[in-house]
């Protein structure tokens, strides 16, 4: 691969760490296989278009692809800041078309899933480039890569190197967690996040939608939950809002996995659902405060059945996240009815067993609804009996490799988040730490390692809302994005720095206020 | 409330642009449609209706610039008979208007109210500054102007503009245009023209904010090199130049000719009495490597003590700048390295632990009779997880051993937002509301220390900032009636 102006670069490098190398293709995340030739092609707004290959299983009736074609056309030709089309380079050949071909049944009107095929090949040569994928999901990934290959030379001409790319992700579950309970996030912010996720090939939005502090999810079956539990009536996600997010995500090949965390983290549920939470006691008398969901009442499971039935319909993804983290036992310990129940059930004073009792019943409910479950690691750590296929999300930072080994040894799939808590900000280039993580860096067999289905960058909301979410997420999450998509041997951190600075500039150009990695500027 | 009016006896009258513009600004802030609740025409309350706030400024000075000596006192009297803002200067009136704007509230029905109030207010410290770094990352003009707006909401009164540094030289010099052409990130887009600079200075003036320009030398000057060949010291490896450069070359006459001409321009462009001349973090390795400098050192009898060479440079520079009738502020190294400075020099303390803890440094500086500015505990670019504004708030600038006379030499402090990791994508949420903690520490009495009370007020103030269109980040879990909407 040839860089023009390498000598000048070296000189400039001595002066200042400049982000803006000579213009050229910059890919993020790095695809599986990239072969670029120095042969250049030019393209222009007027003469270039993206078409369905006649042999494709998808055509103009596939709105997911139609929308994508339009979106990427705009991203390529920089609809906001496009300079007037400059004179054509007479010497270079023209790229007139990108032909898109879906090989297998397109899945155009389906929702993406954990087994979705995101692979694609891209052959860029004049006058027609070919993007081939098994399913529409691969087309989406390929369009993003294609858009990253195109750059403007110093005359403003849209240029692309002839290239051949074969690509598919290392891990199938590549997620971002957003928390809309600690701070409400306006829909616009969520949609912008989905855009940025698509630029980085993330494919799961883990929506931690409710928690102690607020319940913004408007339930049709239980409207009082949000009426009483949201911060205010304008801090609510209506069913329409939820549908908007899900469809916007689908069009970008992103799954929306809701998390309704219980039995802990549920203070806000008690505002609109009486008798759901455990009343805490001060000696013989109720203290007036409440603890986790009350696991000993039939009404609890009646409620949960109805509630999760609605959730299962509202959210089409195969999986639902049930939480299960950080359950405080003190309130349960104080409640005489709970104590009596424990005795009768033979749990003694082992509240982990009560917790597991609850979780197992909830898992049963969810399984009846034909959904898979994802839980936080405590559910596994505290010995609940899990159905095979239950996914365990590892989040505790201490010795997480050991946890990964234990969970996979027991045969359960793992989502890794522990080293990727992006809400934990610090001074300097912390993206490097996220990049250096290897999700398979633990003691285990090949079979065990296969159970690591991916990871999630978490942006908990205690200190985050729409004012600072985007710069805090990007480009730091991009480091996680490459780690989850690209091959294990893509580890050169200085090359990553060079590519990520440019990818970051590209994101800002596309309307994502990604913060700078370091001193420098964007070339536009 | 409908209007702001000048009192008949006020020295400031219509035509006083500082206040005319302020009236318009505050009118828009208070009564424009950006309130989320629409007004209702019910007159259920029996509160007497006030039609205007009357402002009386006793000393004229509308067309002047604010200075370190400017008074900012004011009193605000709101009762059945009066709705009255009294101040000595227009700057005090500005402070009073801001406070007034924070007192007005709106009932659920939409009516505007203000409680009966008596406020007497004046700042504890006269220099309450914010540093922005436009060299590590260029900041578009709008970012700077927006920051000045929020500074005014927080009663900050000095904008410390760290214009240039190693990374880039965005200041458009008319004496040495090559500095900008070769030193800026992009001379077409990443520069501050003379017009831009004028705009910033006037925008600041209308908010009672001084612009303290910093042109940091002899270190932090790599970006000056390409446009001023021969200015920087060529570094050597043995007897051969390496091709890299170090600080400003202190041994050449051409250096001082350059600085004379450059600072003549700077003195004319920036009207504040003070200039910040930098003087921090001078790396001696390049000087040491240079044979010409070695012989100069020998000739001068400096031996191997490069601090003396640094002193030599700084003293010469200070004399140049003094001749232009400017006072100066310098970073603490200038004092630490025993440079001979004028007694009215202001020293800015920025280093937390070296050469001594910053409280000790404050003691030493004021003990030597110099005025001091505190910044060390207020490096807001140093982010961390959690409510770090609390540590910022709990700093007590006079918490060092010294006589009352010494403590009187502490003229204030500055929150610093260095630009290595900051540009317009994240400047506002990183600055606000955290800088507000510094603002209160510098304005309010030393007795105002309750962090819990501050938390209550700052959380509400943050929601008000959102309402005013400021992208201020949350202090902790919670919500505002009107959340920030991305465009």
């Amino acid at each position: 691969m040839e860089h023009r102006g390498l000598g000048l670069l070296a000189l400039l490098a001595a002066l200042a760490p400049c982000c803006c190398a000579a213009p050229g293709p910059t890919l993020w995340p790095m695809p599986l296989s990239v072969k670029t030739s120095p042969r250049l092609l030019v393209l222009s707004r007027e003469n270039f278009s993206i078409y369905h290959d006649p042999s494709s299983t998808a055509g103009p009736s596939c709105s997911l692809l139609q929308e994508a074609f339009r979106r990427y056309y705009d991203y390529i030709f920089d609809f906001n800041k496009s300079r007037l089309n400059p004179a054509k380079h007479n010497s270079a050949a023209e790229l007139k078309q990108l032909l898109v071909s879906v090989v297998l049944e397109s899945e155009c009107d389906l929702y993406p899933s954990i087994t979705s095929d995101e692979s694609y090949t891209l052959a860029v040569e004049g006058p027609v480039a070919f993007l081939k994928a098994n399913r529409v999901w691969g087309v989406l990934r390929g369009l993003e890569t294609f858009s990253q290959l195109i750059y403007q030379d110093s005359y403003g001409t849209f240029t692309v190197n002839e290239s051949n790319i074969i690509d598919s992700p290392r891990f199938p579950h590549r997620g971002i967690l957003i928390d809309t309970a600690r701070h409400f996030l306006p829909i616009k912010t969520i949609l912008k996040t989905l855009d940025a996720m698509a630029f980085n090939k993330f494919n799961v939005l883990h929506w931690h939608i409710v928690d102690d502090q607020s319940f913004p999810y408007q339930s049709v079956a239980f409207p009082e939950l949000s009426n009483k539990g949201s911060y205010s009536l304008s801090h609510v996600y209506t069913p329409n809002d939820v549908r908007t997010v899900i469809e916007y995500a689908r069009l970008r090949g992103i799954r929306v996995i809701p998390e309704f965390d219980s039995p802990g983290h549920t203070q806000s549920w008690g505002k609109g659902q009486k008798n759901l939470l455990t009343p805490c006691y001060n000696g013989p008398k109720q203290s007036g405060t409440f603890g986790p969901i009350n696991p000993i009442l039939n009404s609890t499971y009646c409620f949960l059945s109805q509630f999760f039935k609605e959730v299962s319909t509202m959210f089409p993804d195969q999986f639902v996240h049930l939480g299960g983290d950080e359950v405080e036992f003190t309130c349960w310990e104080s409640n005489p009815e709970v104590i009596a129940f424990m005795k009768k059930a033979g749990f003694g004073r082992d509240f982990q067993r009560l917790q597991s009792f609850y979780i197992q019943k909830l898992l049963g409910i969810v399984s009846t609804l034909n959904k898979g479950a994802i839980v936080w690691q405590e559910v596994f750590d505290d010995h609940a009996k899990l159905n095979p296929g239950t996914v365990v999300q590892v989040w505790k930072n201490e010795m997480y490799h050991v946890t990964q080994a234990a969970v996979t040894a027991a045969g359960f799939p793992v989502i890794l988040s522990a080293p990727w808590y992006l809400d934990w900000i610090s001074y300097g280039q912390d993206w490097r730490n996220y990049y250096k993580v290897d999700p398979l860096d633990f003691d285990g067999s090949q079979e065990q390692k296969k159970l690591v289905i991916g990871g999630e960058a978490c942006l908990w909301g205690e200190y985050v809302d729409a004012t600072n979410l985007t710069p805090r997420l990007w480009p730091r999450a991009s480091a996680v994005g490459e780690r989850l998509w690209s091959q294990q041997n893509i580890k050169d951190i200085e090359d990553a720095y060079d590519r990520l600075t440019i990818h970051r500039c590209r994101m800002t150009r596309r309307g994502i206020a990604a913060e700078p990695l370091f001193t420098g500027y964007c070339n536009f | 409330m409908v209007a702001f009016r000048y009192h008949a006896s006020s020295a400031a009258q219509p035509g006083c642009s500082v206040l005319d513009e302020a009236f318009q600004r505050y009118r828009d802030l208070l009564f424009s449609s950006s309130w989320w609740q629409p007004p209702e025409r019910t007159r259920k309350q029996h509160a007497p209706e006030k039609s205007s706030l009357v402002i009386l400024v006793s000393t004229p000075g509308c067309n002047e610039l604010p200075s370190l000596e400017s008074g900012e006192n004011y009193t605000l009297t709101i009762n059945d008979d009066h709705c009255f803002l009294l101040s000595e200067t227009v700057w005090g009136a500005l402070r009073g208007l801001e406070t007034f704007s924070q007192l007005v509230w709106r009932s659920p029905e939409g009516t505007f109210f203000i409680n009966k109030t008596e406020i007497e207010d004046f700042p504890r410290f006269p220099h309450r500054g914010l540093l922005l770094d436009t060299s590590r990352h260029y900041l578009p003009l709008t970012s700077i102007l927006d920051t000045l707006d929020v500074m005014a909401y927080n009663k900050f009164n000095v904008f410390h503009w760290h214009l240039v540094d190693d990374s880039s030289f965005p200041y458009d010099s008319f004496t040495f245009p090559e500095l900008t052409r070769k030193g800026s990130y992009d001379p077409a887009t990443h520069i501050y023209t003379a017009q831009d600079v004028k705009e910033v200075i006037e925008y600041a003036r209308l908010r009672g904010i001084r612009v303290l320009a910093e042109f940091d030398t002899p270190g932090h000057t790599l970006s000056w090199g390409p446009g001023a060949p021969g200015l920087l010291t060529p570094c050597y490896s043995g007897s051969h130049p390496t091709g890299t450069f170090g600080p400003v070359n202190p041994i050449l006459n051409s250096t001082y000719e350059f600085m004379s001409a450059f600072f003549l321009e700077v003195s004319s462009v920036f009207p504040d009495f003070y200039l910040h001349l930098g003087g921090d973090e001078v790396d001696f390795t390049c000087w040491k490597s240079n044979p010409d400098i070695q012989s100069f050192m020998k000739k001068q009898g400096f031996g191997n003590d490069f601090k003396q060479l640094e002193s030599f440079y700084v003293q010469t520079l200070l004399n140049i700048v003094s001749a232009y009738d400017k006072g100066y502020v310098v970073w603490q190294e200038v004092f630490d390295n025993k440079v001979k400075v004028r007694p009215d020099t202001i020293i800015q303390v920025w280093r937390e632990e070296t050469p001594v803890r910053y409280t000790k440094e404050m003691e030493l500086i004021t003990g030597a009779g110099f005025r001091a500015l505190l910044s060390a505990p207020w490096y807001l670019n140093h982010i961390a997880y959690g409510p770090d504004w609390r540590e910022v708030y709990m700093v007590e600038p006079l918490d060092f051993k010294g006589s009352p006379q010494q403590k009187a030499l502490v003229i204030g402090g500055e929150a610093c937002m260095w630009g290595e990791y900051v540009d317009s994508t994240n400047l506002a949420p990183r600055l606000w509301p955290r800088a507000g903690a510094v603002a209160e520490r510098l304005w309010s009495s030393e007795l105002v220390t309750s962090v819990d009370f501050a938390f209550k007020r700052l959380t509400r103030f943050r929601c008000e900032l959102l309402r005013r269109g400021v992208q201020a980040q949350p202090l902790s879990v919670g919500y505002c009636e009107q959340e920030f909407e991305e465009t």
Side-chain angles (χ1 to χ4, degrees):
Chain A
M1 203 156 107
E2 199 165 281
H3 276 298
R4 274 179 293 160
L6 192 58
L8 181 60
L9 251 187
L11 200 63
L12 283 175
L15 189 62
C18 176
C19 81
C20 300
T26 311
L27 301 174
W28 191 282
M30 183 59 82
L32 177 60
S33 146
V34 181
K35 290 197 186 79
T36 349
S37 103
R39 273 205 74 207
L40 297 178
L41 302 167
V42 297
L43 44 159
S44 79
R45 229 197 150 103
E46 282 76 44
N47 294 347
F48 175 81
S49 32
I50 307 175
Y51 284 117
H52 299 277
D53 190 320
S55 66
S56 172
T57 59
S61 63
C62 176
S63 63
L64 182 147
L65 288 186
Q66 293 299 103
E67 289 291 306
F69 290 178
R70 184 168 56 153
R71 224 169 38 242
Y72 277 96
Y73 181 85
D74 282 337
Y75 290 142
I76 289 166
F77 294 108
D78 230 359
F79 56 112
N80 275 330
K81 300 194 167 86
S82 221
R83 294 157 250 180
L84 222 41
N85 227 36
K88 178 183 172 230
H89 257 201
N90 288 315
S91 50
E94 213 182 348
L95 181 68
K96 294 218 175 80
Q97 265 183 39
L98 174 68
L99 267 190
V100 174
S101 185
V102 183
V103 176
L104 304 176
E105 218 177 277
S106 70
E107 297 185 350
C108 188
D109 297 317
L110 301 185
Y111 286 96
S113 77
I114 187 69
T115 52
S116 292
D117 187 337
E118 295 173 280
S119 63
Y120 67 91
T121 61
L122 194 50
V124 181
E125 36 181 59
V128 178
F130 288 93
L131 169 55
K132 220 191 315 200
N134 282 335
R135 314 283 187 187
V136 291
W137 320 116
V139 174
L140 292 175
R141 306 298 169 238
L143 282 171
E144 177 57 42
T145 304
F146 178 72
S147 75
Q148 295 187 4
L149 288 172
I150 299 166
Y151 57 94
Q152 282 178 280
D153 69 9
S154 47
Y155 291 92
T157 312
F158 293 97
T159 314
V160 66
N161 289 55
E162 283 196 345
S163 354
N164 239 293
I165 294 181
I166 303 170
D167 202 7
S168 61
R170 183 178 173 203
F171 295 101
H173 184 117
R174 307 178 305 281
I176 298 279
L177 179 152
I178 57 170
D179 167 2
T180 57
R182 274 62 177 267
H183 281 98
F184 183 79
L185 296 176
I187 290 295
K188 218 184 254 181
T189 303
I190 300 180
L191 300 185
K192 261 231 146 76
T193 302
L194 290 168
D195 278 330
M197 285 170 67
F199 301 154
N200 290 269
K201 295 191 171 69
F202 277 98
N203 67 356
V204 175
L205 178 71
H206 173 166
W207 192 349
H208 185 93
I209 189 166
V210 300
D211 204 298
D212 282 329
Q213 287 84 358
S214 76
F215 196 105
Y217 170 73
Q218 189 173 78
S219 161
V220 174
F222 300 97
E224 286 296 279
L225 284 172
S226 61
N227 278 344
K228 297 271 161 48
S230 64
Y231 279 139
S232 89
L233 294 180
S234 54
H235 290 75
V236 159
Y237 300 111
T238 62
N240 223 32
D241 290 332
V242 174
R243 276 190 284 267
T244 303
V245 170
I246 292 173
E247 181 59 10
Y248 200 90
R250 190 188 79 83
L251 291 178
R252 287 154 181 74
I254 297 171
R255 301 163 57 200
V256 178
I257 300 181
E259 177 185 348
F260 288 92
D261 192 354
S262 72
H265 286 280
T266 43
Q267 289 295 299
S268 66
W269 301 51
K271 305 258 162 70
Q273 186 71 16
K274 299 298 166 211
N275 304 319
L276 179 66
L277 304 183
T278 312
C280 311
Y281 276 70
N282 226 332
K285 284 209 303 215
Q286 287 196 12
S287 67
T289 59
F290 297 89
I293 289 186
N294 195 334
I296 73 173
L297 302 175
N298 284 333
S299 53
T300 292
Y301 302 103
C302 199
F303 165 81
L304 291 172
S305 271
Q306 271 186 279
F307 184 75
F308 277 95
K309 179 151 193 268
E310 173 185 312
V311 167
S312 300
T313 332
M314 199 66 221
F315 292 91
D317 196 84
Q318 194 48 35
F319 283 85
V320 119
H321 200 303
L322 303 177
D325 61 315
E326 299 181 310
V327 184
E328 280 259 0
F329 293 154
T330 29
C331 187
W332 283 350
E333 278 170 345
S334 75
N335 183 304
E337 280 155 28
V338 173
I339 299 289
F341 180 91
M342 295 272 291
K343 203 172 276 168
K344 232 197 319 174
F347 293 160
R349 292 216 54 102
D350 186 357
F351 286 88
Q352 280 188 4
R353 296 184 65 181
L354 183 59
Q355 179 190 264
S356 297
F357 170 80
Y358 168 87
I359 280 284
Q360 277 157 214
K361 286 194 81 153
L362 180 57
L363 285 171
I365 288 171
V366 163
S367 153
T368 317
L369 293 165
N370 257 321
K371 294 282 192 186
I374 309 179
V375 292
W376 295 109
Q377 67 180 82
E378 284 94 322
V379 172
F380 172 84
D381 294 340
D382 297 347
H383 316 294
K385 255 195 298 283
L386 304 178
N387 300 336
T390 307
V391 182
V392 177
Q393 189 161 7
V394 176
W395 70 272
K396 293 183 165 186
N397 214 303
E398 265 168 59
M399 314 276 277
Y400 67 85
H401 321 90
V402 175
T403 312
Q404 282 181 283
V407 175
T408 52
F412 296 105
V414 161
I415 292 171
L416 181 62
S417 282
W420 292 325
Y421 263 39
L422 268 49
D423 55 316
W424 286 3
I425 55 170
S426 59
Y427 181 71
Q429 294 193 44
D430 56 359
W431 71 273
R432 292 172 181 254
N433 300 333
Y434 305 143
Y435 192 77
K436 290 196 190 130
V437 171
D438 193 301
L440 300 187
D441 190 13
F442 64 93
D443 286 325
S445 65
Q446 283 288 71
E447 283 68 45
Q448 271 177 266
K449 306 226 168 171
K450 282 205 194 100
L451 285 171
V452 178
I453 59 172
E456 289 185 0
C458 298
L459 194 68
W460 294 104
E462 283 85 349
Y463 301 101
V464 175
D465 76 359
T467 57
N468 61 355
L469 180 139
T470 303
R472 193 158 293 191
L473 246 192
W474 312 102
R476 290 154 80 233
S478 302
V480 182
E482 177 153 297
R483 184 49 56 230
L484 292 172
W485 178 280
S486 305
Q487 293 307 293
Q488 185 169 25
N489 64 346
I490 304 296
K491 292 201 288 209
D492 181 346
I493 196 121
E494 291 317 318
D495 178 67
Y497 176 83
D498 290 337
R499 284 182 296 115
L500 191 51
T501 31
I502 297 185
H503 181 61
R504 177 255 168 180
C505 286
R506 176 165 47 219
M507 285 197 277
T508 60
R509 207 157 60 225
R510 292 182 183 184
I512 303 296
E515 65 177 11
L517 283 183
F518 190 54
T519 301
Y521 71 108
C522 290
N523 214 341
F524 55 85
Chain B
M1 282 292 174
V2 173
F4 299 103
R5 270 201 305 115
Y6 293 101
H7 191 274
S9 328
S10 168
Q13 290 293 326
C16 172
S17 58
V18 172
L19 291 184
D20 285 346
E21 302 260 327
F23 292 169
Q24 194 157 25
R25 274 199 317 276
Y26 281 102
R27 199 177 295 130
D28 284 342
L29 273 181
L30 289 172
F31 307 119
S32 81
S33 54
S34 72
W35 286 93
W36 65 284
Q37 276 167 332
E40 259 174 45
R41 307 220 186 282
T42 46
R43 292 272 253 113
K44 288 197 269 181
Q45 308 279 354
H46 292 296
E49 186 170 336
K50 296 290 184 185
S51 59
S52 48
L53 174 71
V54 179
I55 290 99
L56 200 166
V57 177
S58 58
T59 343
C62 225
N63 296 318
E64 284 161 20
L65 288 152
S67 77
L68 180 59
E69 293 72 34
S70 297
E72 294 173 280
N73 312 27
Y74 67 92
T75 60
L76 203 47
T77 311
I78 318 280
N79 57 38
D80 290 326
D81 306 313
H82 300 109
C83 203
F84 195 53
L85 167 57
L86 173 66
S87 70
E88 266 177 59
T89 65
V90 289
W91 320 119
L94 287 178
R95 306 299 169 234
L97 278 173
E98 176 56 41
T99 301
F100 175 78
S101 77
Q102 296 183 15
L103 291 171
V104 174
W105 51 276
R106 213 165 174 183
S107 72
E109 290 80 42
T111 320
F112 291 97
F113 282 94
I114 189 166
N115 289 45
K116 246 192 225 176
T117 318
E118 283 270 353
I119 292 184
E120 211 185 295
D121 200 7
F122 57 90
R124 183 179 173 201
F125 294 104
H127 183 121
R128 306 178 304 282
L130 187 67
L131 177 151
L132 287 185
D133 166 4
T134 57
S135 173
R136 275 58 177 266
H137 281 98
Y138 179 77
L139 292 176
L141 203 58
T142 40
S143 291
I144 299 179
L145 300 182
D146 287 347
T147 302
L148 289 169
D149 278 329
V150 196
M151 284 172 67
Y153 303 155
N154 284 270
K155 296 191 173 68
F156 275 108
N157 67 355
V158 176
F159 169 39
H160 176 164
W161 193 351
H162 187 90
L163 275 137
V164 301
D165 204 292
D166 282 331
S167 323
S168 75
F169 195 104
Y171 170 72
D172 195 9
S173 165
F174 55 81
T175 320
F176 299 103
E178 287 297 284
L179 283 174
T180 329
R181 214 175 65 79
K182 297 251 172 65
S184 62
Y185 280 138
D186 182 334
T189 51
H190 290 56
I191 63 170
Y192 302 107
T193 61
Q195 189 51 41
D196 293 335
V197 172
K198 266 201 203 96
E199 198 174 332
V200 169
I201 294 172
E202 179 61 6
Y203 200 91
R205 189 186 80 85
L206 292 176
R207 286 152 184 76
I209 297 170
R210 302 164 47 205
V211 177
L212 175 66
E214 178 183 352
F215 288 90
D216 193 354
T217 70
H220 286 280
T221 44
L222 283 182
S223 68
W224 302 51
L231 180 68
L232 302 184
T233 311
C235 311
Y236 276 70
S237 188
S239 53
H240 299 289
T242 60
T244 59
F245 297 89
V248 169
N249 194 333
I251 73 174
L252 303 174
N253 284 332
S254 53
T255 293
Y256 302 105
E257 277 157 29
F258 171 88
M259 290 301 170
S260 280
F262 185 74
F263 279 95
L264 175 60
E265 169 181 328
V266 168
S267 303
S268 69
V269 169
F270 293 94
D272 195 83
F273 176 68
Y274 290 92
L275 284 179
H276 200 302
L277 302 178
D280 61 315
E281 297 184 308
V282 185
D283 187 351
F284 294 151
T285 24
C286 186
W287 281 352
K288 228 180 252 186
S289 75
N290 184 300
D292 297 326
I293 292 194
Q294 283 161 19
S295 9
F296 182 87
M297 293 279 287
K298 209 171 275 168
K299 236 194 312 171
Q300 295 285 341
F302 291 160
N304 235 347
D305 187 4
F306 284 88
K307 286 197 189 155
Q308 295 197 47
L309 182 59
E310 181 190 16
S311 282
F312 174 82
Y313 168 83
V314 177
Q315 269 153 220
T316 320
L317 177 65
L318 296 182
N319 289 335
I320 290 171
V321 170
S322 298
Y324 296 138
D325 260 326
K326 289 290 195 189
Y328 38 78
V329 186
V330 288
W331 296 110
Q332 68 178 78
E333 283 93 324
V334 172
F335 171 81
D336 295 340
N337 295 349
K338 307 204 192 336
V339 178
K340 260 198 291 291
V341 297
R342 269 199 341 220
D344 66 347
T345 310
I346 299 172
I347 318 269
Q348 189 163 7
V349 177
W350 70 272
R351 310 188 75 185
E352 277 201 270
E353 297 291 337
T354 44
V356 291
R357 181 137 175 82
Y358 71 85
T359 41
K360 182 75 180 163
E361 181 78 8
M362 297 289 278
E363 184 191 321
L364 295 173
I365 289 172
T366 53
F370 295 106
R371 287 172 299 171
L373 277 178
L374 181 60
S375 281
W378 290 331
Y379 264 38
L380 299 183
N381 54 311
H382 285 163
I383 56 171
Y385 179 73
D388 58 354
W389 70 272
R390 301 167 71 100
E391 279 69 54
V392 165
Y393 188 77
M394 292 192 286
V395 171
E396 173 37 64
L398 302 187
D399 191 15
F400 61 89
K401 277 202 289 277
S403 66
Q405 290 76 17
Q406 259 179 278
K407 305 220 171 173
L409 290 173
V410 178
I411 58 170
E414 292 186 352
C416 296
M417 186 54 79
W418 294 103
E420 285 85 348
Y421 302 101
V422 175
D423 74 1
S424 59
T425 58
N426 59 357
L427 175 72
R430 193 159 293 190
L431 255 185
W432 314 105
R434 288 155 80 232
V438 181
E440 176 153 302
R441 184 50 54 232
L442 291 173
W443 176 280
S444 305
S445 147
E446 65 185 289
L447 301 172
V448 182
T449 51
S450 160
V451 181
D452 291 334
F453 184 44
F455 175 76
K456 283 200 187 81
R457 286 178 295 114
L458 193 53
T459 337
R460 287 185 58 186
F461 184 59
R462 183 253 169 179
C463 288
E464 172 64 13
L465 287 179
L466 282 193
R467 196 191 66 80
R468 295 185 184 190
V470 181
Q471 199 167 332
Q473 67 179 14
L475 281 181
S476 85
V477 180
Y479 71 104
C480 294
E481 301 292 359
Q482 196 180 14
E483 301 288 0
F484 177 74
E485 281 271 3
E486 270 184 88
T487 36

